Amino acid sequence: MKLTVPFVSKAPSGRHSDGGSLYLLVKPDGRKTWVFRYRDPATGKLRDKGLGPYPDVKLAEARELASHCRSQRRQGIDPIAAKKDALLQAQIELGKLVTFGECAQRYIASTKHSWRNVKHAEQWSSTVNTYCASLLKLPVSQIDTALVLNSLQPIWQEKTETARRLRSRIERILDWASASGFRSGDNPARWKENLKHLLPPPDKLKKVKHRAALPYRDLPQFMRSLKTRQDLSTLAMQLQILTATRPGEATGAKWKEFDLSRSVWTVPAERTKTNQSHEIPLSKQVVALLKRIPNKGKEHVFPGRSGRPIVTAATLKALRSIPGAEAYTCHGFRSSFRDWAAENTTHGRDIIEMSLAHKILSKTEAAYYRSTMLAKRAELMSSWADYCLTSRAR
């Protein structure tokens, strides 16, 4: 202990040893700091570990810190590496205090760009905030099976589909948290390894509620009643019926999607439920329908407000304004087509399902059968249009 308090307070610039590898470094501008100098066991080079500035760290405290460093060296511990490890561990422990709600927000923010639309992200946030309210403020590292069950059990039987999606979303958020270092261990929201032993299978609880569909035998009369109306909502409904598409695909149709010279309508992937583009063969009746629709240079076939297309609620409103059709839905027309095709045609199931844009083939098979399927589907859709618009049977 070579240094004294009076000397330290007035020490000139340079390096001053107190012994025991403790030094006082004085900069030319008068700033002073304590360092512990030792030889790196791996490289053999001298290293200085800072112990703090003077006068914040007094001489006595500096000697205690140097003593701790010497103790570390005797144990084979590198003082600088040990400090970095301690800081890293502190950061890890702090990270474990990140809440489930924060992880949910970060996961959605990092993933939403790969989702199909903004509405999907909103549904994610709404579902998590509504049914995981008890989890949002808890550290994500503390989420266990019991807490996950508390969120799922109240809706598992009454809102089975919502609960199924919620479980999947909780699982993804917790997987993200684990990958980010905010938690460790098994995922308590996983189905196969965990929850399947605590909750009944959702497919045994889910009650299938079919969309109310107009019987196909009533469609010819129904289509005749539509001829007296020429508003965009009714025209969009006719396009949907004759092409067996989903309501949103029809109302959101754009002129650039149609190739009338080939009689083909290509719905792009971002507007389909399957996230794959869908080619629809157009019957001569559909081509005639499209030519009747006034095209004033608009982007959308059925323009609405603010440069957007009309919404599906418009076609549903038009449907329910027709006497006798109040109980039906626009989506139900796809069921009408499906029943008619199965009962009145000889077309195979694959042709019918592909006409409805249902996935039935692998990518390789779909590419191989594409041209043949389109030709056969053109025959089917032509027969469907003939039935809807010329048949007198009920």
Side-chain angles (χ1 to χ4, degrees), residues 84-98 140-141 180-184:
K84 290 182 178 179
D85 290 342
L87 179 60
L88 179 60
Q89 187 59 38
Q91 291 174 335
I92 292 174
E93 293 301 319
L94 182 62
K96 290 181 179 179
L97 297 179
V98 173
V140 72
S141 59
S180 301
F182 298 142
R183 62 174 286 115
S184 59

Side-chain angles (χ1 to χ4, degrees), residues 118-160:
V118 176
K119 184 178 180 181
H120 189 61
E122 293 174 349
Q123 290 173 338
W124 256 80
S125 298
S126 176
T127 303
V128 172
N129 291 335
T130 300
Y131 299 107
C132 296
S134 61
L135 306 181
L136 296 179
K137 295 183 179 181
L138 295 179
V140 72
S141 59
Q142 296 182 12
I143 304 299
D144 58 15
T145 299
L147 291 171
V148 173
L149 282 174
N150 285 342
S151 296
L152 295 177
Q153 283 179 325
I155 61 172
W156 193 255
Q157 296 194 33
E158 298 300 322
K159 300 179 179 180
T160 304

Side-chain angles (χ1 to χ4, degrees), residues 101-356:
E102 291 171 332
C103 287
Q105 291 177 356
R106 294 188 195 181
Y107 172 78
I108 293 172
S110 65
T111 313
K112 66 181 181 181
H113 300 293
S114 64
W115 293 338
R116 293 172 58 190
N117 50 54
V118 176
K119 184 178 180 181
H120 189 61
E122 293 174 349
Q123 290 173 338
W124 256 80
S125 298
S126 176
T127 303
V128 172
N129 291 335
T130 300
Y131 299 107
C132 296
S134 61
L135 306 181
L136 296 179
K137 295 183 179 181
L138 295 179
V140 72
S141 59
Q142 296 182 12
I143 304 299
D144 58 15
T145 299
L147 291 171
V148 173
L149 282 174
N150 285 342
S151 296
L152 295 177
Q153 283 179 325
I155 61 172
W156 193 255
Q157 296 194 33
E158 298 300 322
K159 300 179 179 180
T160 304
E161 183 60 24
T162 299
R164 184 188 65 78
R165 293 179 181 176
L166 177 64
R167 185 210 62 76
S168 176
R169 290 169 183 177
I170 295 175
E171 180 181 2
R172 294 185 191 182
I173 293 169
L174 295 181
D175 277 343
W176 179 91
S178 295
S180 301
F182 298 142
R183 62 174 286 115
S184 59
D186 295 334
N187 191 323
R190 195 156 290 143
W191 178 255
K192 289 185 178 180
E193 292 86 357
N194 191 30
L195 294 181
K196 69 174 294 184
H197 305 296
L198 302 172
L199 294 169
D203 56 348
K204 293 185 177 181
L205 294 174
K206 186 178 178 181
K207 298 177 181 179
V208 178
K209 185 176 181 180
H210 295 288
R211 311 271 181 118
L214 180 72
Y216 72 82
R217 294 179 180 82
D218 296 335
L219 255 173
Q221 178 61 41
F222 178 79
M223 293 296 286
R224 284 193 289 274
S225 68
L226 297 184
K227 286 186 176 180
T228 61
R229 305 179 179 218
Q230 292 300 314
D231 56 280
L232 289 181
S233 299
T234 301
L235 293 173
M237 194 194 315
Q238 293 181 60
L239 176 65
Q240 185 218 327
I241 293 172
L242 295 175
T243 55
T245 50
R246 295 179 174 87
E249 294 170 348
T251 57
K254 299 179 180 180
W255 285 112
K256 66 180 182 181
E257 297 171 358
F258 293 89
D259 184 347
L260 297 186
S261 64
R262 293 177 54 233
S263 297
V264 173
W265 173 19
T266 304
V267 184
E270 62 269 19
R271 291 209 314 108
T272 66
K273 184 177 180 180
T274 59
N275 205 28
Q276 294 182 355
S277 62
H278 177 50
E279 283 191 329
I280 304 169
L282 303 178
S283 64
K284 61 183 181 181
Q285 292 92 336
V286 173
V287 172
L289 171 66
L290 289 169
K291 290 180 177 180
R292 292 203 311 270
I293 298 174
N295 185 350
K296 299 179 181 180
K298 300 289 185 179
E299 175 185 11
H300 301 284
V301 178
F302 308 105
R305 297 179 179 177
S306 304
R308 297 183 178 184
I310 62 174
V311 294
T312 55
T315 54
L316 180 60
K317 182 178 179 181
L319 170 63
R320 293 183 173 172
S321 68
I322 299 174
E326 297 87 347
Y328 301 120
T329 65
C330 292
H331 197 282
F333 290 125
R334 287 166 56 81
S335 296
S336 305
F337 166 78
R338 182 66 180 81
D339 292 343
W340 168 84
E343 296 180 16
N344 295 272
T345 75
T346 58
H347 290 283
R349 176 183 176 277
D350 288 356
I351 301 298
I352 298 172
E353 292 300 310
M354 287 190 70
S355 298
L356 291 166

